[in-house]
Amino acid sequence: MTIGMPGGVRVLVVDDDPDHRLLARHRLERAGFDVRLAGSAEEALVGIESVDLVLLDYRLPGTSGLELLPLLSERGPSVVMVTGMGSEGLAVEAMRRGAVDYIVKDESYLEILGDVVRRAWLHHDLVRRAGELERIGLLVTSASARREVFAEVVEGARRLLRADGCALFVFTEAGLVQEATAGCHVGDRNSLLADARRLLAAPQKTVETLGRLLVPVPPADETPLGVLAVLASEPRRFDPEERRLAVALASYAGIALGNLRRLDLERALVAELQQMLDLRRDLMASVSHELRTPLTCVSGFAETLRAHWAALSDDERLLFVDKICHHSTELGDLVERLLDFSQVEAGRLHAGIRNVDLRAEVEATVAALGPLMTGRPVEIDVEVSSAMADSVLLRRTLTNLLSNAVKYSEPGTRIVVRGSASGGVARVEVADEGTGLTSEEADRAFDPFWRASRVTSNSLRGTGLGLALVKEYVRVMGGDVTVESELGQGSTFTFTLPLPEPLPV
């Protein structure tokens, strides 16, 4: 069986002479066609959509074949005009109205009838296939709905190759999976999937067994994205034209898959960009608030001192000066974070790595945070003596982690700083007994500008930059940072640093 002349081509013979109908039927059925008969225009129009070709006589009761011809052609089948008059004008008019061929009822009419109808069928089939390929081509280059696109591709492949079934397998993160099917026959799915995997393991243009044709997607010398499988319920050989058509359809499937993946990527990038814009908008609002609060306090205490200096006691003056110093320091820390983040975004954050005393750096940082740590039992258990780090970035890392531990835990709860060496790196842990994080929140803890919604609703101040900066500080020092947390049970942030090279013996 080939694309050129399949069995079951349905031909309608429209002739007012029953003898001519009988003779035409006999000749066409011997040529392998499925023949139906009609003696009038009314009979011809009944069920015309299920017909492939029409053999139309010029003379019909109450009308002519020329009048009926456009009505038949617009319903889909190709039309061959038949007449007993060898008129050139009639032939031209028939072709103008949509006939694909013209035949005169002379003494050789029945002898050539099968060949004429066969040529007409080939023309009809060529036009139909070209239209279907054009439709699929337009679809795969413009459509955006994955399921609908692949459903149309496999159904189009099934129709064009006159197969009983068609399946498309596509590579995903889970491996090769069945993306779409068409038709009533897909055979043994496991066997088909195994054949598809073998084809991709040793790429070839096509793999064919009796009743089964597999083509990689795309079929060119590119990384395979999947497999198009064409299936017949009965043993069948696919001819070269069918194989070429299957390769063309696999190319369409590859184009569709590439377009849809690019579209998915574009959508993800747009969503990510929108998220970043939303976060930046939130950051501007948060930073404005964070800057305004200490500035308002500094301005308020300074103005009170200026206006009421004489009326204030020495203790009150010292208290107000302490408040101004505290909020000035807070303001300086915020500006420093913003400047560091701008350096990170510009790719200009660098580290001066040297051998540092890890325990001394931890103790110095805790001491510098003295007022913040008041009322907090802090345990320092640093076993490793030294690590390779930038002293300034290391202290900023510890400051951010300790500040977070204080901010998100109750007064009087314990904070632990541990240091150890394992796996060729120094590991530093900062653990608290605070509110903790859900697993979803832990996954986003190091995202710039991000803060848990329940934290923002509790009016805890912050910009969402601290942990993002910790991640970058540790990265430029050659380490990594992670968090382990459980909601209501506290959090443990762990970062690593390279160890010094051992001294040569």
Side-chain angles (χ1 to χ4, degrees):
M1 184 186 298
T2 71
I3 282 184
M5 196 62 247
V9 175
R10 296 156 298 190
V11 179
L12 175 65
V13 177
V14 185
D15 198 311
D16 63 340
D17 188 316
D19 289 337
H20 278 283
R21 292 199 301 271
L22 182 62
L23 287 169
R25 179 176 190 169
H26 177 68
R27 287 303 179 108
L28 292 176
E29 285 183 341
R30 285 180 58 189
F33 294 100
D34 178 6
V35 182
R36 304 176 189 183
L37 304 176
S40 66
E42 292 77 12
E43 289 180 14
L45 291 171
V46 175
I48 189 64
E49 287 80 4
S50 62
V51 173
D52 299 309
L53 292 169
V54 178
L55 198 62
L56 177 62
D57 189 37
Y58 172 67
R59 295 188 182 279
L60 294 173
T63 186
S64 73
L66 286 179
E67 296 297 325
L68 181 59
L69 197 157
L71 297 176
L72 296 175
S73 294
E74 70 183 16
R75 305 286 183 91
S78 294
V79 179
V80 176
M81 197 74 194
V82 181
T83 180
M85 305 169 9
S87 166
E88 183 177 333
L90 181 59
V92 171
E93 183 62 20
M95 303 296 276
R96 190 183 68 81
R97 296 195 182 197
V100 298
D101 208 345
Y102 177 89
I103 184 171
V104 178
K105 289 181 181 176
D106 56 18
E107 61 276 4
S108 63
Y109 157 64
L110 292 175
E111 297 296 328
I112 65 172
L113 183 60
D115 289 337
V116 171
V117 172
R118 184 175 289 105
R119 286 198 307 271
W121 159 251
L122 292 175
H123 174 272
H124 170 83
D125 190 46
L126 179 62
V127 171
R128 182 185 66 83
R129 282 189 289 144
E132 182 72 10
L133 282 171
E134 182 179 10
R135 188 187 69 82
I136 295 174
L138 290 173
L139 178 71
V140 301
T141 55
S142 61
S144 59
R146 183 185 184 98
R147 181 175 298 179
E148 288 78 1
V149 170
F150 290 134
E152 286 291 339
V153 169
V154 294
E155 176 58 27
R158 187 194 66 80
R159 287 197 302 264
L160 288 172
L161 291 164
R162 297 190 188 87
D164 298 301
C166 188
L168 178 65
F169 295 93
V170 173
F171 269 125
T172 67
E173 292 180 356
L176 194 63
V177 299
Q178 185 173 291
E179 180 75 35
T181 60
C184 59
H185 176 74
V186 293
D188 183 344
R189 183 182 177 280
N190 291 333
S191 170
L192 185 59
L193 189 57
D195 283 351
R197 287 178 178 139
R198 280 193 291 272
L199 171 62
L200 296 177
Q204 306 172 51
K205 285 190 176 180
T206 60
V207 168
E208 181 181 351
T209 59
L210 284 177
R212 182 179 290 182
L213 177 65
L214 278 71
V215 184
V217 175
D221 296 331
E222 302 175 36
T223 302
L225 303 176
V227 172
L228 180 68
V230 183
L231 310 160
S233 56
E234 300 294 333
R236 165 186 172 184
R237 287 290 182 186
F238 295 88
D239 66 21
E241 185 179 355
E242 289 176 311
R243 288 194 290 272
R244 285 193 295 271
L245 182 54
V247 168
L249 290 163
S251 296
Y252 279 142
I255 293 170
L257 189 57
N259 288 344
L260 289 170
R261 288 185 174 179
R262 281 190 291 273
L263 183 60
D264 288 343
L265 178 59
E266 289 170 4
R267 286 171 174 167
L269 290 174
V270 168
E272 185 177 342
L273 178 60
Q274 185 59 54
Q275 184 183 47
M276 291 297 294
L277 291 173
D278 292 342
L279 289 171
R280 283 181 178 274
R281 185 180 61 248
D282 294 342
L283 170 68
M284 294 305 297
S286 176
V287 167
S288 297
H289 174 73
E290 292 295 310
L291 288 170
R292 188 182 300 114
T293 300
L295 280 172
T296 301
C297 292
V298 169
S299 176
F301 286 122
E303 180 61 27
T304 301
L305 283 172
R306 187 187 67 80
H308 304 287
W309 180 270
L312 295 172
S313 67
D314 288 344
D315 289 341
E316 287 175 323
R317 292 170 187 163
L318 285 173
L319 175 63
F320 282 20
V321 170
D322 286 341
K323 293 288 187 182
I324 291 173
C325 290
H326 169 74
H327 289 293
S328 297
T329 301
E330 185 180 15
L331 186 60
D333 289 342
L334 176 57
V335 171
E336 187 176 83
R337 286 189 182 191
L338 292 172
L339 290 174
D340 277 356
F341 187 73
S342 68
Q343 294 281 350
V344 168
E345 285 210 312
R348 294 197 295 265
L349 183 65
H350 302 292
I353 305 298
R354 63 183 181 84
N355 192 334
V356 299
D357 186 326
L358 193 55
R359 182 178 183 86
E361 294 292 339
V362 171
E363 290 174 342
T365 304
V366 172
L369 294 172
L372 179 68
M373 310 299 289
T374 301
R376 304 282 181 153
V378 180
E379 295 182 15
I380 299 176
D381 181 16
V382 179
E383 298 174 357
V384 60
S385 60
S386 60
M388 300 302 293
D390 180 303
S391 180
V392 173
L393 296 184
L394 175 57
R395 292 196 185 194
R396 288 180 186 174
T397 299
L398 291 166
T399 297
N400 277 310
L401 294 179
L402 288 167
S403 299
N404 263 21
V406 171
K407 184 185 294 186
Y408 300 113
S409 62
E410 295 296 326
T413 57
R414 188 176 59 142
I415 296 173
V416 180
V417 183
R418 303 185 187 90
S420 61
S422 63
V425 295
R427 303 175 66 85
V428 181
E429 298 178 3
V430 177
D432 63 59
E433 298 173 352
T435 57
L437 300 166
T438 66
S439 59
E440 292 80 9
E441 290 170 345
D443 289 339
R444 299 200 60 191
F446 299 100
D447 290 352
F449 319 128
W450 181 85
R451 301 182 74 211
S453 57
R454 58 191 171 80
V455 170
T456 54
S457 64
N458 288 338
S459 300
L460 283 170
R461 291 169 54 196
T463 60
L465 286 177
L467 292 177
L469 287 172
V470 164
K471 181 178 179 180
E472 291 303 315
Y473 295 155
V474 173
R475 181 186 64 80
V476 298
M477 289 189 291
D480 192 17
V481 62
T482 58
V483 59
E484 293 181 5
S485 187
E486 186 176 346
L487 194 61
Q489 301 298 315
S491 304
T492 299
F493 288 86
T494 303
F495 66 91
T496 61
L497 295 170
L499 288 172
E501 291 289 338
L503 295 174
V505 179

